[in-house]
Amino acid sequence: MRFHISTTSRLPIYQQLAQQIREAIARGELLPEACLPSVRQMSQDLVVNPNTVARAYTELEREGLLVSRPGRGIYVAQPRNDLTPAARDRRLIEKMNPWLTEAVHLGYAADEVLRLVAERVREFQWQNEKVA
Amino acid sequence: MRFHISTTSRLPIYQQLAQQIREAIARGELLPEACLPSVRQMSQDLVVNPNTVARAYTELEREGLLVSRPGRGIYVAQPRNDLTPAARDRRLIEKMNPWLTEAVHLGYAADEVLRLVAERVREFQWQNEKVA
Amino acid sequence: MRFHISTTSRLPIYQQLAQQIREAIARGELLPEACLPSVRQMSQDLVVNPNTVARAYTELEREGLLVSRPGRGIYVAQPRNDLTPAARDRRLIEKMNPWLTEAVHLGYAADEVLRLVAERVREFQWQNEKVA
Amino acid sequence: MRFHISTTSRLPIYQQLAQQIREAIARGELLPEACLPSVRQMSQDLVVNPNTVARAYTELEREGLLVSRPGRGIYVAQPRNDLTPAARDRRLIEKMNPWLTEAVHLGYAADEVLRLVAERVREFQWQNEKVA
DNA sequence: GTGGTCTAGACCACA
DNA sequence: GTGGTCTAGACCACC
């Protein structure tokens, strides 16, 4: 797994890293129980402050995506299944509003949005099976 | 139209307000040429500093969602359509990506995501026509 | 790069500064990825409130001329190219019209105006290539 | 001569009116010594506050485009010729900077700008003869 | 009355 | 150190 940060992006560095790790996990490139590079190692690779890497890891741990085992390293967590289907839906729908709103403002027609989502979903090499 | 802000949210107040206005416009609850509450009025309603409200309004004006008419008030503008198709897609995808990642983590299958979006799109009173 | 503000001008301070930065960028004196003075530094140089400088920077960031990187500084971005040709023309004509009117009032003939513009264009270190 | 104001524009009403009068004069639709509608008449036609019309007239009088003859009305002034060629050029060039800067940011190539200016000049039905 | 600008000074997030 | 947010309160332009 190689990550890289863009010093020209306006996004905070720790968030760039966090989002890349999230997507790597989502894509299945980082499997559960995989071990991530140490804070020190990663900070050297990316040429950033160790604090910045630590912050990204902390954020992901708080989200339940990573688990740190003190003295041994930081690992990809098992996928959580503690949400009821209704709670899952609620959570996802809630976060849909801002970008759907953006779509309206950008002048997208309804079917264009659906087309774009479908396209992106394909590119994501979606691996989840339908659970219901 | 009623708005409300959460002081416990990590999102800045002016952005909370801006996003609520964006959604109200996207939903068609605030139609073009509708007049918004004055800065002073809104700041009283929300119990925040008038500057904070002004900032939200200014932000939305820069985005082309509102137009301010000094001495008269601030009004809802027409949706923008001055971006190239590629730039439009780029913007939307950027905002959609983190959400898709989230969907994967929640265990959603591809067709479930599409179903959810389609459903939500229907709930919006989508007024845009396909431009192309 | 030296900037200066006129307290006697009717133009707001933050706009005076913004316009000077715009012109410096347009002339090629400030190249992409160049770092601008910090808000605090600039506010000392100009003897104005830091908020006023921040406002100029924010305005230019919204226009896509600058990118701010929290904790790191504020930098010159690449010129925007996300507008449709029609929207581009509309914007430019809108700003050009009052100037053309002025030229007529000053008694300029059509070819004199063209000559004057051509001259000035040459003085700019025009870096854009024709896109179409 | 018919004028009209857009209540949907963000430009102050008195400036909309002033600019329309300027352009009408520039185009030769309003000739020197032509008499403009009274403040009261104009304010009724446009359905705006008389103060607003008065302000537009005052602005144009200050610029030397109109002369008011108390008790008789307000008239288009004779074109001024009191500037030396150098002063004329200086004045016009000074006001060229902002929109030329905009052109750079919008990504225009040098010859595109010249083309656009030439086009607009033609549409203006330019009536001035070369003076030099 | 409306919005727009400016100042002073505080606190937070990021590196 | 950097930029980002928020407040309080002043003054101006526009209608």
Side-chain angles (χ1 to χ4, degrees):
Chain A
M1 247 348 278
R2 290 295 295 122
F3 303 101
H4 72 284
I5 59 113
S6 157
T7 60
T8 75
S9 166
R10 70 178 314 270
L11 214 66
I13 294 175
Y14 86 96
Q15 281 192 18
Q16 292 183 40
L17 177 55
Q19 182 60 17
Q20 282 179 43
I21 296 174
R22 278 191 207 100
E23 296 191 3
I25 296 175
R27 283 197 165 86
E29 295 170 16
L30 279 175
L31 295 170
E33 294 309 320
C35 183
L36 272 78
S38 72
V39 167
R40 169 165 289 170
Q41 182 61 50
M42 181 73 94
S43 76
Q44 280 180 15
D45 293 353
L46 301 179
V47 195
V48 298
N49 193 304
N51 286 337
T52 306
V53 175
R55 176 145 194 192
Y57 282 0
T58 305
E59 178 124 336
L60 293 170
E61 210 181 337
R62 198 172 40 72
E63 291 178 12
L65 283 171
L66 300 181
V67 282
S68 93
R69 304 195 176 114
R72 280 180 292 160
I74 193 154
Y75 298 82
V76 176
Q78 299 290 343
R80 57 186 300 182
N81 277 316
D82 55 352
L83 291 175
T84 66
R88 267 191 350 154
D89 279 16
R90 218 178 314 119
R91 179 157 168 182
L92 198 57
I93 287 174
E94 212 170 72
K95 300 202 175 181
M96 199 161 68
N97 250 2
W99 69 259
L100 216 47
T101 301
E102 177 82 3
V104 178
H105 295 146
L106 290 174
Y108 279 92
D111 57 348
E112 284 180 305
V113 169
L114 290 175
R115 172 189 57 74
L116 205 60
V117 173
E119 215 173 78
R120 291 300 294 167
V121 160
R122 263 197 307 281
E123 291 174 22
F124 244 78
Q125 306 177 328
W126 209 282
Q127 311 208 340
N128 290 332
E129 294 302 318
K130 190 162 187 173
V131 283
Chain B
M1 266 324 298
R2 290 297 295 121
F3 301 101
H4 69 281
I5 61 112
S6 153
T7 57
T8 71
S9 166
R10 310 155 69 262
L11 213 64
I13 294 175
Y14 83 96
Q15 282 194 16
Q16 292 183 39
L17 176 56
Q19 182 58 22
Q20 286 178 42
I21 296 174
R22 282 192 201 95
E23 296 185 5
I25 296 176
R27 283 200 170 85
E29 293 170 19
L30 280 174
L31 295 172
E33 291 311 310
C35 184
L36 274 77
S38 76
V39 169
R40 289 158 172 86
Q41 183 61 48
M42 181 73 93
S43 76
Q44 281 180 17
D45 294 353
L46 302 179
V47 196
V48 298
N49 191 294
N51 282 339
T52 305
V53 175
R55 186 163 182 183
Y57 282 0
T58 304
E59 176 114 349
L60 294 171
E61 196 183 353
R62 296 252 159 76
E63 289 178 14
L65 280 171
L66 301 181
V67 281
S68 85
R69 293 164 195 151
R72 284 173 283 169
I74 196 153
Y75 300 80
V76 177
Q78 310 289 342
R80 68 182 302 177
N81 62 346
D82 57 353
L83 292 179
T84 63
R88 274 191 346 156
D89 281 11
R90 224 181 304 124
R91 281 203 195 194
L92 190 56
I93 286 172
E94 203 173 87
K95 303 218 171 186
M96 202 165 64
N97 243 0
W99 180 84
L100 278 177
T101 306
E102 175 86 7
V104 178
H105 290 142
L106 289 173
Y108 279 90
D111 57 349
E112 284 181 304
V113 166
L114 288 175
R115 173 185 57 75
L116 222 53
V117 173
E119 231 171 63
R120 196 88 179 109
V121 159
R122 262 195 302 280
E123 290 174 29
F124 270 64
Q125 301 168 1
W126 211 281
Q127 314 207 338
N128 295 327
E129 295 300 319
K130 190 161 187 173
V131 282
Chain C
M1 264 326 296
R2 291 296 295 121
F3 301 101
H4 67 282
I5 60 112
S6 154
T7 57
T8 71
S9 166
R10 311 156 65 264
L11 213 64
I13 294 176
Y14 84 96
Q15 281 194 16
Q16 293 183 39
L17 176 56
Q19 182 58 21
Q20 285 177 41
I21 296 174
R22 281 192 202 98
E23 295 185 5
I25 295 175
R27 283 200 169 84
E29 293 169 18
L30 280 175
L31 295 173
E33 290 312 308
C35 184
L36 274 78
S38 78
V39 169
R40 288 156 172 84
Q41 183 61 50
M42 181 72 92
S43 76
Q44 279 181 18
D45 294 353
L46 301 180
V47 195
V48 297
N49 190 292
N51 282 339
T52 305
V53 175
R55 183 163 186 183
Y57 282 0
T58 304
E59 174 114 349
L60 294 171
E61 195 184 354
R62 298 250 158 76
E63 290 178 13
L65 280 170
L66 302 181
V67 278
S68 85
R69 294 164 195 150
R72 286 173 280 170
I74 197 155
Y75 299 81
V76 177
Q78 311 288 340
R80 68 183 301 176
N81 62 346
D82 56 355
L83 292 180
T84 63
R88 274 191 347 154
D89 281 11
R90 224 179 307 125
R91 279 203 197 195
L92 190 54
I93 285 173
E94 202 174 87
K95 302 220 172 186
M96 201 166 64
N97 243 0
W99 180 84
L100 278 177
T101 306
E102 174 88 7
V104 179
H105 290 143
L106 289 173
Y108 279 90
D111 58 349
E112 284 181 304
V113 167
L114 288 175
R115 173 186 56 76
L116 221 54
V117 173
E119 230 170 62
R120 197 85 178 111
V121 159
R122 262 196 302 282
E123 290 174 29
F124 271 63
Q125 301 167 4
W126 211 281
Q127 313 206 340
N128 294 328
E129 294 300 320
K130 190 161 187 171
V131 281
Chain D
M1 248 346 279
R2 289 295 295 122
F3 301 102
H4 72 284
I5 61 113
S6 158
T7 61
T8 75
S9 167
R10 69 178 313 271
L11 214 64
I13 294 175
Y14 85 96
Q15 281 191 19
Q16 292 184 41
L17 176 55
Q19 182 60 19
Q20 283 179 43
I21 296 176
R22 280 191 206 99
E23 296 190 4
I25 297 176
R27 283 197 165 87
E29 295 169 16
L30 279 175
L31 295 171
E33 294 308 320
C35 183
L36 272 77
S38 72
V39 167
R40 168 165 290 171
Q41 182 60 50
M42 181 74 94
S43 75
Q44 280 179 13
D45 294 352
L46 302 179
V47 196
V48 298
N49 193 303
N51 287 336
T52 307
V53 176
R55 177 149 191 192
Y57 282 1
T58 306
E59 177 125 336
L60 294 170
E61 208 181 339
R62 198 172 40 69
E63 289 177 13
L65 282 172
L66 300 181
V67 283
S68 91
R69 303 195 177 114
R72 278 180 293 161
I74 193 155
Y75 298 83
V76 177
Q78 299 290 343
R80 60 186 298 183
N81 276 316
D82 56 349
L83 291 176
T84 67
R88 269 192 347 157
D89 279 15
R90 218 178 314 118
R91 179 156 168 183
L92 198 57
I93 287 174
E94 213 169 72
K95 302 202 175 183
M96 198 159 70
N97 249 4
W99 69 260
L100 216 48
T101 302
E102 179 80 3
V104 178
H105 295 145
L106 289 173
Y108 279 93
D111 57 349
E112 284 180 303
V113 169
L114 290 175
R115 171 187 59 74
L116 206 59
V117 173
E119 214 173 81
R120 290 301 292 167
V121 160
R122 262 197 309 280
E123 292 174 23
F124 244 77
Q125 306 178 326
W126 209 283
Q127 311 208 344
N128 290 330
E129 294 301 317
K130 189 160 186 173
V131 284

